[in-house]
Amino acid sequence: MPIVTLTTDFGTSDWFAGTMKGVVLGIAPRARIVDITHDVPSGDIRTGAFALAAACAYFPKGTIHVAIVDPGVGGSRAALAVKTKRFHFVGPDNGILSMALAAEKGVAAHRIENAAFMLQRPSRTFHGRDIFSPVAAHLACGVPITRLGPKVKDYVRLAIPTPEMDAGQRRGEVLHVDRFGNAITNIPAEAINALGGELQVTVARRTMPVRDHYEAVPNGSPVAVIGSCGFLEIAVNSGNAARRLGLKRGTRVTARQTRTVPKPFSR
Amino acid sequence: MPIVTLTTDFGTSDWFAGTMKGVVLGIAPRARIVDITHDVPSGDIRTGAFALAAACAYFPKGTIHVAIVDPGVGGSRAALAVKTKRFHFVGPDNGILSMALAAEKGVAAHRIENAAFMLQRPSRTFHGRDIFSPVAAHLACGVPITRLGPKVKDYVRLAIPTPEMDAGQRRGEVLHVDRFGNAITNIPAEAINALGGELQVTVARRTMPVRDHYEAVPNGSPVAVIGSCGFLEIAVNSGNAARRLGLKRGTRVTARQTRTVPKPFSR
Amino acid sequence: MPIVTLTTDFGTSDWFAGTMKGVVLGIAPRARIVDITHDVPSGDIRTGAFALAAACAYFPKGTIHVAIVDPGVGGSRAALAVKTKRFHFVGPDNGILSMALAAEKGVAAHRIENAAFMLQRPSRTFHGRDIFSPVAAHLACGVPITRLGPKVKDYVRLAIPTPEMDAGQRRGEVLHVDRFGNAITNIPAEAINALGGELQVTVARRTMPVRDHYEAVPNGSPVAVIGSCGFLEIAVNSGNAARRLGLKRGTRVTARQTRTVPKPFSR
């Protein structure tokens, strides 16, 4: 029986996520349910999309990924179920699935319309419980995606800012700040590796070396690393880079090749 | 093997909820454990009772619902196990189970007294681990509730404020503010539907229309909807109604019929 | 199939914990995964070690406990897998496992070195996903610990402050403040019981009686109890002792025998 993952902004202080699990297990009693996160900031589709994209590939083939950050619930946005070569994805058609789908092959998206796979009389305010959970559970039970509704040609895609690549330089921006205050940028590892030589990174008027792990600089010093998502990441060894350097989504980051050995960090 | 749900104020930063799961799985290795929430505000029985009542019916028949908000742990309050037509409920006899039980049929409540179904030498400060978890696990394994202790005639019931129904008007109050800032009232959908015609809701000196989903009003505008629990709910489209309008548990809410089309919201 | 528990400082707002579960289930599809906590304060090894030690013994024999608070990830610290008479433990060699191991018998620690049991090309910043999760999953599948790497003679142990025992008096300190504001000390129940007679506890210039449960004193009054971990604990009935009395890790606590009946608490 496949895994069903949940990525939402429902929080954990109400009963929303738990209720979804009750619905899934009522239909697919042997499904394994895994929380990716329920603490996406309220209504922040972009952060939810990033979390799903960062996590989904680490699940086994056949996993059903449900992602719900859905300020337009009950309105005109469509509900989607998407089949890819290795996974199913389920969620509102507002971009929440799009960053994950960008890395998938064999993408076929269907509009969820068949009420037979929803709870009876679905509410207009909690499709997570009434539509997305039962659909995910039915997919887990082997219902073919084609029964959920018609195939759609396209779906909403979030614009993902692409880094600028110049000779000896990469310019990008912060995509996500994690709970440690590490700032994940949109500059991929390959773009950094292609630069070669000694590198330095400038962000928020501070310059720092690129190293292969946090402890390669003194405690409290900023450092750029290739993070676990495969992107350049700004950190402070044993500290909170976002707070220390004032970083947030959209902060500009430049990585450049330098012949000189980078100067050690000083205030 | 049945599902065991957990609704507590134990938080997730300590080991309390995890330890309960270890105890359950030690006795009932194949039980499925689902968190409803562990983030009930510390000692807030009413909020815990509301969360349990909102979630429990979405679980399959046979589920064992454990709810623990228990400031009187170790004192004179009884420990309860309750059988209903479709579920078991386990928790302290302080009202935490009562809102959920109000919707159940065939309610039989037993006082938990049989030490054979508790951990050895239970503490006086963590009955979640030492009494309620093992009892839930034994119920999951098929132990009849009658073996836990004697049937009791009654149990503590929280007073649930009932709305006032006048011709053309419903007066109630906020029961719960959720993580989105939506304020769930005690006015049931049927009471609203029975009013018919054009409706407007007044809360905190603001008047707003009743619509069927959040997006039916402009971004940032207040709106009343029938929420997913089946009660009138005050929201702000893509905003936080509780913060914007100053709503909290107990805030008075009035819904009234109006012949005139409600004026669009304006500041 | 054994249980895998997780104790980390990864938080729940990012995808870190969820991703670990995907990796575990990809290798050991029938493993049961239980969160102890992911909300250890960022980098706080001591709090993580305490949570693991408080919870681990309540899990069934054969459980694999994974604990990761790892500010030195990717640096020179070793990765450990430890077999004891009843459990396996997996985590960085920085003390995070040491409080739990202090209560275990038959401890054999191995350095994790065999890349066959890691993800391919492990990152230098997320060993939770790339090393500790796959290792735990392989242990769950029955891989003998000896295949992971060489046995090591010793591992990093956190210094645990021991209480001073004088005739008629115990002096210790606060080890942990829990989500209720209860302050757990390092003075064990046996040391208190050995004192006998009427006892009073002094902390932060306040004196309070020792009672067997919170409600034995009036609402809002401080009280010392033997807590559920088996240590003297400072509480306020239906209140937050840490906030009320200004307690934190390291605050000094004295318990002493007194012939006189302790005076009731007054401001």
Side-chain angles (χ1 to χ4, degrees):
Chain A
M1 177 67 74
I3 297 165
V4 175
T5 78
L6 305 178
T7 303
T8 80
D9 67 346
F10 290 153
T12 53
S13 58
D14 297 297
W15 54 88
F16 305 137
T19 306
M20 288 179 65
K21 296 176 189 178
V23 171
V24 169
L25 294 174
I27 295 166
R30 294 177 55 240
R32 303 292 301 265
I33 305 175
V34 175
D35 298 314
I36 293 180
T37 177
H38 296 291
D39 293 332
V40 173
S42 177
D44 183 346
I45 296 168
R46 190 165 282 273
T47 293
F50 195 85
L52 177 64
C56 67
Y58 288 89
F59 284 81
K61 197 175 172 187
T63 294
I64 295 150
H65 294 294
V66 179
I68 309 172
V69 177
D70 195 11
V73 59
S76 58
R77 65 103 188 99
L80 285 185
V82 184
K83 189 172 173 16
T84 72
K85 204 171 165 191
R86 49 184 181 173
F87 300 129
H88 282 97
F89 294 85
V90 176
D93 186 14
N94 61 13
I96 180 84
L97 305 178
S98 66
M99 285 192 195
L101 292 176
E104 294 297 307
K105 289 176 183 162
V107 175
H110 290 253
R111 194 176 170 114
I112 299 170
E113 289 186 350
N114 189 341
F117 301 108
M118 307 175 185
L119 294 198
Q120 292 189 315
R121 278 161 289 134
S123 72
R124 298 288 293 267
T125 60
F126 192 5
H127 286 185
R129 180 191 68 190
D130 301 340
I131 297 179
F132 297 118
S133 290
V135 160
H138 285 295
L139 288 171
C141 293
V143 167
I145 194 169
T146 50
R147 294 194 57 199
L148 299 176
K151 197 164 174 178
V152 291
K153 284 190 179 152
D154 207 0
Y155 48 86
V156 175
R157 293 158 201 259
L158 299 178
I160 306 172
T162 50
E164 296 163 44
M165 314 278 206
D166 298 326
Q169 184 168 289
R170 306 289 180 257
R171 277 187 295 199
E173 64 186 74
V174 171
L175 290 184
H176 181 77
V177 171
D178 74 18
R179 83 100 37 152
F180 297 101
N182 298 333
I184 303 169
T185 76
N186 65 338
I187 307 176
E190 309 83 62
I192 294 295
N193 294 336
L195 280 178
E198 281 291 341
L199 300 178
Q200 65 178 24
V201 166
T202 304
V203 55
R205 300 186 186 181
R206 295 288 286 274
T207 294
M208 63 202 69
V210 180
R211 293 288 179 261
D212 64 4
H213 65 288
Y214 306 127
E215 264 197 342
V217 298
N219 259 14
S221 291
V223 61
V225 301
I226 301 300
S228 59
C229 296
F231 291 96
L232 189 73
E233 183 178 313
I234 312 300
V236 161
N237 183 18
S238 295
N240 186 304
R243 273 207 296 269
R244 267 286 293 285
L245 309 176
L247 312 180
K248 56 182 185 183
R249 191 161 69 199
T251 300
R252 303 291 300 170
V253 177
T254 304
R256 60 171 69 80
Q257 201 177 19
T258 165
R259 293 276 154 214
T260 61
V261 176
K263 279 186 288 188
F265 167 72
S266 60
R267 284 165 180 273
Chain B
M1 177 66 75
I3 298 165
V4 174
T5 79
L6 305 177
T7 302
T8 80
D9 67 346
F10 291 153
T12 52
S13 58
D14 296 298
W15 54 89
F16 305 138
T19 305
M20 288 179 64
K21 297 176 190 177
V23 171
V24 169
L25 294 174
I27 295 166
R30 294 176 55 240
R32 303 292 301 265
I33 306 175
V34 175
D35 299 314
I36 294 180
T37 177
H38 296 292
D39 293 332
V40 174
S42 177
D44 183 345
I45 296 168
R46 190 165 281 273
T47 293
F50 194 86
L52 178 65
C56 67
Y58 288 89
F59 284 81
K61 197 176 173 189
T63 294
I64 296 151
H65 294 293
V66 180
I68 309 172
V69 177
D70 195 11
V73 59
S76 58
R77 64 104 188 98
L80 285 185
V82 184
K83 189 170 173 17
T84 72
K85 203 169 165 193
R86 47 184 182 173
F87 300 128
H88 282 98
F89 293 86
V90 176
D93 185 15
N94 61 13
I96 180 84
L97 305 178
S98 65
M99 286 192 196
L101 292 176
E104 294 297 309
K105 289 177 182 161
V107 174
H110 290 254
R111 194 177 170 112
I112 299 169
E113 289 185 351
N114 190 341
F117 301 108
M118 306 175 185
L119 294 198
Q120 292 188 315
R121 277 161 290 134
S123 72
R124 297 288 293 268
T125 59
F126 192 5
H127 286 185
R129 180 191 68 191
D130 300 341
I131 297 179
F132 297 118
S133 290
V135 161
H138 285 295
L139 289 171
C141 292
V143 167
I145 194 167
T146 50
R147 294 193 59 199
L148 300 176
K151 197 165 172 178
V152 292
K153 285 193 178 150
D154 208 359
Y155 48 86
V156 176
R157 292 159 202 259
L158 299 180
I160 306 173
T162 49
E164 296 163 44
M165 314 279 205
D166 300 325
Q169 184 168 290
R170 306 289 180 255
R171 277 186 295 199
E173 63 186 77
V174 172
L175 290 184
H176 181 78
V177 172
D178 74 17
R179 82 102 37 152
F180 297 100
N182 298 333
I184 302 169
T185 76
N186 64 339
I187 307 175
E190 308 82 64
I192 294 295
N193 294 337
L195 280 178
E198 281 291 342
L199 301 177
Q200 65 178 26
V201 167
T202 304
V203 56
R205 300 187 186 181
R206 295 289 286 272
T207 295
M208 63 201 72
V210 179
R211 293 289 179 260
D212 64 5
H213 66 288
Y214 306 128
E215 264 196 344
V217 297
N219 258 14
S221 292
V223 61
V225 301
I226 301 300
S228 59
C229 296
F231 292 96
L232 190 73
E233 183 178 314
I234 313 301
V236 162
N237 182 18
S238 295
N240 186 304
R243 273 207 297 268
R244 266 285 295 284
L245 308 176
L247 312 179
K248 56 181 186 185
R249 191 160 69 201
T251 300
R252 303 290 303 170
V253 177
T254 304
R256 61 171 66 81
Q257 200 178 19
T258 165
R259 293 277 154 212
T260 61
V261 176
K263 279 185 288 186
F265 166 73
S266 60
R267 284 165 181 272
Chain C
M1 176 67 73
I3 298 165
V4 174
T5 78
L6 305 177
T7 303
T8 80
D9 67 346
F10 291 152
T12 53
S13 57
D14 297 299
W15 54 88
F16 305 138
T19 305
M20 288 179 66
K21 296 176 190 176
V23 171
V24 169
L25 294 173
I27 295 166
R30 295 178 53 238
R32 303 293 301 264
I33 306 175
V34 175
D35 298 314
I36 294 180
T37 176
H38 296 292
D39 293 332
V40 174
S42 177
D44 183 346
I45 296 168
R46 189 165 283 272
T47 293
F50 194 86
L52 177 65
C56 68
Y58 288 88
F59 284 81
K61 196 175 174 190
T63 294
I64 296 151
H65 294 293
V66 179
I68 309 172
V69 178
D70 196 11
V73 59
S76 58
R77 65 105 189 99
L80 285 185
V82 183
K83 189 173 174 18
T84 72
K85 203 170 165 192
R86 49 185 181 173
F87 299 130
H88 282 98
F89 294 86
V90 176
D93 185 15
N94 61 14
I96 181 83
L97 305 178
S98 65
M99 286 192 196
L101 291 176
E104 294 297 308
K105 289 175 183 162
V107 174
H110 290 252
R111 194 175 171 114
I112 299 169
E113 289 186 350
N114 190 341
F117 301 109
M118 306 174 185
L119 294 198
Q120 292 188 315
R121 277 161 290 135
S123 72
R124 296 289 292 269
T125 60
F126 192 5
H127 286 185
R129 180 191 68 190
D130 300 340
I131 297 179
F132 297 118
S133 291
V135 160
H138 285 295
L139 288 170
C141 292
V143 167
I145 195 169
T146 50
R147 293 193 59 200
L148 299 175
K151 198 166 174 178
V152 291
K153 284 192 180 152
D154 207 359
Y155 48 86
V156 174
R157 292 159 202 258
L158 298 179
I160 305 172
T162 51
E164 296 164 44
M165 313 281 204
D166 298 326
Q169 183 169 289
R170 306 289 180 255
R171 277 187 294 200
E173 63 187 76
V174 172
L175 290 185
H176 181 77
V177 172
D178 74 17
R179 85 99 38 154
F180 297 100
N182 298 332
I184 302 169
T185 75
N186 65 338
I187 307 176
E190 309 83 63
I192 294 295
N193 294 337
L195 279 178
E198 280 291 341
L199 300 178
Q200 66 178 24
V201 166
T202 304
V203 56
R205 299 186 186 182
R206 294 290 286 274
T207 294
M208 62 201 71
V210 179
R211 293 289 179 260
D212 65 3
H213 65 287
Y214 306 127
E215 265 196 343
V217 297
N219 258 13
S221 291
V223 60
V225 302
I226 301 300
S228 59
C229 295
F231 291 96
L232 190 73
E233 183 178 312
I234 312 302
V236 162
N237 183 17
S238 295
N240 186 303
R243 273 206 298 268
R244 267 286 293 285
L245 309 176
L247 312 179
K248 56 183 186 184
R249 191 160 70 200
T251 300
R252 302 291 303 171
V253 177
T254 305
R256 63 171 66 80
Q257 201 178 19
T258 164
R259 292 278 154 210
T260 63
V261 176
K263 280 186 289 188
F265 166 73
S266 59
R267 284 166 182 273

